[in-house]
Amino acid sequence: MNTFPLTHEQLVELTKKYPTPFYIYDEKAIRENMRYFTKAFSNFPEFREYFAVKALPNPYILKVLESEGCGGDCSSLPELILCEKSGITGKRIMFTSNDTPAEEFQYAEKLGAIINLDDITHIDYLWNALGGRMPCTICFRYNPGPLKQGGNAIIGKPEEAKYGLTREQMIEAYKICAKSGVKHFGLHTMVASNELNPDFFVDTAKIVFELVLDVQKECGVNIEFVDLGGGVGIPYRPGQKKVDLEYVSAKIHELYEKMIVPAGLDPMAVCFECGRPITGPYGYLVTKAIHHKHIYREYVGCDASMADLMRPGMYGAYHEIQVSGKENLPKDHVYDVTGSLCENCDKFAVQRELPQIDEGDLLIIHDAGAHGRSMGFNYNGKLRAGELLLRSDGSVTQIRRRETIDDYFATLDFSGLDSFKA
C-alpha cells in the first residue's frame, strides 16, 4: 500500500473546501511511475505506452501523461475527444473498439489515429464508413483462444471472450487489407486484466511474435508494431508483489532478438496499453463515516457508495482502507464498510479488521486511481464524486467538480408531464 500523500491535518483542511466523497490523485507519483514504465522498456528500438483512457478519463491526467510522452488507447468517440483536447493526436492514439459506429471510425481517422479492428467483418464496414477507402495503417486484434491457457479471472478465457479474430481470420484479414491498399500494419492482443504473474506477459509476447512471423510468411506483410495489450495488475492486497517490468521487458527482448531480428523485422515497435499500473496506485477515494449499525455484524456506513467505486461490489475486489489519523492504533474491530445504495453488494470491505471508527472519521480507500471514478453511475439517483489533483508543488486543483442535482435532471424534459394525467 502506498503512503497517502497528505497528512491527517492537511486532509481535514482539504475537506473543508471539498466535502467528501472525492477522488484525489498524486501528480508527482504518476509522473515518476510513467517514467519508470518507459525506462523499463527502453531496450526496444521503439516503445510506446498507450494509456487506457477508460481507466481514468480526465483531461488533466491525460495532459500529465501526454507531457511524459504517453499516448492514449481509446474505445469511444468521447475518449477520442478527450485525447484530442489533451494534445494526444495522430499515431499517438490507438483506437481499439468493438461494435463501433461508423461516425467513431470516421473521427478516429480524422485524428490520424491507428485503427485497431476487432473483427474481420469490420474491414468492409470501415471501407464503407470512409467512403470506399482504407487508412494507410491498420491493426487487428488477435484472440488466441485455447492457445492462451488458463485465462484470467476478470477478462475470462480467450475462447469465451467477445474480442478479436481467430488465427485463420487474422491471416485472411491481412491479405484483404494488403490488396485494399493498406501500407502499414500492426498486430494487437489483450488477454488479461489485473494479472500479477510476469511470465503471463512473456508468454503472450511469444504467441504474438509467432503470429507476426506467420503473417510475414503467409501474407507477405511485415508487421511494423505489436501492441501487447494491457492487463498488468497492481498489488491491491497486502503481501502481493508488484509486477517486475524490468524482468518482463528483458524476457520479451530475448524473444525479440531470437524471433523478430532474424526475420528481418527489426526495428519493430513494441507497445502496451496499460491503465491500472500507471495511475491505479496513486488515486484515492476519500469518504466520511456517517453511520454505525449493530446487528449480526458491525457496519460502518459512508457518504460514498458503490456508485463511486464499483469494483468491490462488481468483482469482489479488495481495496485497502486507511482510517485517517488512526494509522498507529490497533486494528481491533471488525467491520463491513458500506455505502447507501439499495444493493447488498454495496460494500467497500467485508469483515475487515480496522481501528475503531467513529462518526466523522475520514476513510481513505487506496488504489482507486484506475477504474474508479470512471466506472461510476447514477443508480438510486446517486451523484458521482468530484476529482482533485495533488500537484507536484503541493497545491491541490479541482479537475472535475462533483455532480449536482441539476446535472442529474439536465437530460429530462418535464414539459409534457401534465398530458399524462388520468
Side-chain angles (χ1 to χ4, degrees):
M1 181 176 72
N2 291 308
T3 301
F4 185 65
L6 297 176
T7 67
H8 174 65
E9 291 74 22
Q10 288 173 324
L11 183 59
V12 170
E13 283 300 308
L14 191 62
T15 61
K16 293 177 182 178
K17 183 174 182 180
Y18 302 106
T20 57
F22 58 75
Y23 278 87
I24 185 166
Y25 311 108
D26 186 343
E27 178 188 351
K28 181 180 178 182
I30 290 172
R31 286 188 182 277
E32 290 175 350
N33 193 41
M34 186 62 234
R35 292 168 189 172
Y36 158 73
F37 201 98
T38 302
K39 184 179 179 181
F41 291 94
S42 61
N43 52 348
F44 290 96
E46 183 180 347
F47 172 76
R48 170 83 68 192
E49 155 64 1
Y50 292 94
F51 178 72
V53 177
K54 65 183 179 182
L56 185 47
N58 189 293
Y60 289 83
I61 299 297
L62 294 179
K63 190 63 180 179
V64 166
L65 294 173
E66 185 275 334
S67 70
E68 296 294 339
C70 193
D73 173 67
C74 300
S75 58
S76 69
L77 179 57
E79 289 184 353
L80 288 169
I81 295 171
L82 275 172
C83 277
E84 182 183 20
K85 289 183 177 296
S86 305
I88 302 173
T89 58
K91 296 298 188 288
R92 296 179 71 188
I93 297 176
M94 182 75 69
F95 185 58
T96 305
S97 153
N98 62 94
D99 296 330
T100 305
E103 59 268 22
E104 299 195 2
F105 279 135
Q106 292 162 359
Y107 204 86
E109 202 264 345
K110 172 188 170 184
L111 292 180
I114 296 171
I115 295 178
N116 184 22
L117 295 179
D118 184 64
D119 190 69
I120 193 168
T121 63
H122 294 176
I123 298 172
D124 285 344
Y125 189 88
L126 179 61
W127 174 276
N128 292 327
L130 299 183
R133 59 183 177 84
M134 293 292 284
C136 65
T137 301
I138 278 290
C139 186
F140 288 101
R141 179 170 183 165
Y142 177 41
N143 183 329
L147 283 177
K148 193 64 180 171
Q149 294 294 320
N152 177 271
I154 295 178
I155 208 168
K157 297 179 180 179
E159 63 266 34
E160 297 175 1
K162 71 174 184 174
Y163 306 108
L165 290 75
T166 67
R167 183 200 176 279
E168 293 74 19
Q169 289 174 335
M170 292 288 283
I171 298 297
E172 183 63 21
Y174 287 111
K175 289 179 179 178
I176 293 171
C177 285
K179 292 178 181 178
S180 300
V182 177
K183 302 298 183 184
H184 306 284
F185 295 92
L187 198 158
H188 165 274
T189 196
M190 174 74 174
V191 290
S193 181
N194 196 33
E195 179 61 56
L196 290 173
N197 178 5
D199 290 314
F200 188 99
F201 306 102
V202 180
D203 293 341
T204 298
K206 184 174 185 294
I207 290 172
V208 169
F209 288 173
E210 287 172 345
L211 183 55
V212 166
L213 299 182
D214 289 345
V215 169
Q216 183 191 45
K217 180 180 179 181
E218 299 182 38
C219 308
V221 165
N222 285 347
I223 299 298
E224 299 177 13
F225 65 90
V226 292
D227 184 339
L228 300 178
V232 177
I234 60 176
Y236 287 102
R237 292 180 178 272
Q240 290 181 329
K241 291 184 178 181
K242 181 179 179 179
V243 175
D244 185 343
L245 294 180
E246 286 94 347
Y247 170 87
V248 172
S249 178
K251 289 296 183 180
I252 294 177
H253 193 266
E254 288 177 12
L255 293 173
Y256 184 95
E257 291 289 327
K258 181 181 179 181
M259 302 172 69
I260 299 303
V261 173
L265 293 172
D266 181 52
M268 182 183 74
V270 173
C271 311
F272 274 87
E273 55 181 56
C274 293
R276 190 188 318 266
I278 304 298
T279 58
Y282 311 110
Y284 310 84
L285 175 58
V286 179
T287 181
K288 183 181 293 184
I290 58 174
H291 289 291
H292 283 83
K293 184 167 184 170
H294 315 284
I295 48 172
Y296 307 105
R297 292 182 176 183
E298 296 294 305
Y299 293 90
V300 170
C302 303
D303 59 3
S305 73
M306 182 182 170
D308 297 302
L309 177 63
M310 73 184 303
R311 294 190 71 256
M314 183 176 184
Y315 301 122
Y318 182 97
H319 285 261
E320 277 284 289
I321 296 179
Q322 173 185 347
V323 185
S324 186
K326 296 185 175 181
E327 291 82 4
N328 298 321
L329 295 183
K331 296 181 179 181
D332 53 3
H333 288 64
V334 178
Y335 299 109
D336 280 15
V337 181
T338 66
S340 59
L341 211 64
C342 294
E343 295 291 340
N344 196 45
C345 60
D346 182 18
K347 297 180 179 182
F348 296 117
V350 176
Q351 294 295 275
R352 185 76 59 88
E353 294 181 354
L354 293 164
Q356 177 177 318
I357 298 176
D358 299 306
E359 290 178 15
D361 279 347
L362 296 174
L363 308 184
I364 303 164
I365 303 177
H366 283 248
D367 299 312
H371 310 288
R373 174 59 169 74
S374 64
M375 295 177 73
F377 54 94
N378 292 121
Y379 181 58
N380 266 178
K382 294 298 181 182
L383 305 175
R384 288 174 289 183
E387 295 175 300
L388 309 177
L389 182 63
L390 175 62
R391 302 300 309 274
S392 298
D393 63 6
S395 62
V396 174
T397 300
Q398 180 175 257
I399 58 175
R400 189 194 302 269
R401 64 166 174 78
R402 186 176 181 174
E403 287 185 340
T404 67
I405 291 289
D406 288 342
D407 294 328
Y408 184 77
F409 287 114
T411 57
L412 291 172
D413 182 359
F414 292 96
S415 61
L417 281 180
D418 288 344
S419 67
F420 284 82
K421 290 182 179 179

